[in-house]
Amino acid sequence: MKPQCPKCGTDFVQRIRPDGILEPLAGLLFIHPFRCQLCTHRFRAFLPGVAALSQKVDRRQYVRFSARFPVTFSGDSGPGQGAVMDVTMGGCALESDATLMPSMVLKLKLHIAEHALPVEVEAAVVRSVRSKIVGLEFARFALQEKYRLTQYVAGLVSAHRKE
Ligand SMILES: [Zn+2]
């Protein structure tokens, strides 16, 4: 059993690592931190005994879903393009030939559908570069763009759950 996000109501939430000094202590009382996978809200919920033990804590804050769509971007090193390999509301993994370095900031256009405008991410930070795979963290997007990406990720979730 998983708690629901108090902000948007989805049960697509992920238990995350406790922060600071008090949260690990709260864990002893079965109060655990969670990250909503759709609206990105962080919250704490009461999850008694056995349920808490059976749900493992992931180091990552978001569950990744594989997805494949083109991305175009611009940044300090000029324009570039690539293909998304997986995506969450917190970021994505990108396959690209561009020369990118950790902590570079990019403006992204996610071409999630052929006949729709791309979702724009105003600022995405390069977190890792391993051969041609670039890990990006979404730092800022306009509200309506975030909403459109939420719809897209929610679609991936429901497709995944039907499998
Ligand atoms: Zn939520």
Side-chain angles (χ1 to χ4, degrees):
M1 209 193 73
K2 279 185 175 184
Q4 288 184 334
C5 170
K7 209 168 164 190
C8 73
T10 183
D11 65 349
F12 184 41
V13 299
Q14 173 81 354
R15 196 174 144 204
I16 55 173
R17 278 194 173 177
D19 251 0
I21 298 165
L22 290 178
E23 275 193 351
L25 294 177
L28 300 174
L29 304 170
F30 310 118
I31 297 165
H32 303 286
F34 290 83
R35 173 76 67 188
C36 176
Q37 302 292 298
L38 293 183
C39 78
T40 73
H41 183 54
R42 189 185 197 278
F43 63 97
R44 298 189 191 104
F46 180 67
L47 193 70
V50 180
L53 292 174
S54 65
Q55 220 197 351
K56 74 173 172 61
V57 185
D58 202 314
R59 209 168 58 83
R60 291 179 175 148
Q61 302 236 336
Y62 291 95
V63 181
R64 296 171 183 212
F65 285 97
S66 31
R68 196 80 182 170
F69 53 79
V71 174
T72 50
F73 56 83
S74 55
D76 294 339
S77 61
Q81 57 185 17
V84 155
M85 304 175 70
D86 59 55
V87 65
T88 72
M89 288 307 295
C92 67
L94 192 68
E95 193 175 7
S96 176
D97 288 329
T99 312
L100 298 171
M101 308 279 206
S103 78
M104 272 183 170
V105 178
L106 306 175
K107 185 172 181 169
L108 303 178
K109 283 186 178 171
L110 310 174
H111 301 265
I112 51 171
E114 213 177 315
H115 302 291
L117 286 172
V119 170
E120 287 191 36
V121 182
E122 265 175 59
V125 184
V126 177
R127 287 299 177 204
S128 62
V129 182
R130 209 170 48 220
S131 56
K132 289 181 178 182
I133 311 300
V134 184
L136 290 169
E137 185 185 322
F138 300 150
R140 194 172 67 240
F141 26 6
L143 206 57
Q144 73 273 15
E145 299 299 295
K146 184 178 176 182
Y147 177 75
R148 289 182 59 217
L149 189 62
T150 302
Q151 299 296 99
Y152 179 76
V153 171
L156 294 178
V157 174
S158 58
H160 179 77
R161 284 183 175 176
K162 272 180 219 146
E163 275 169 17

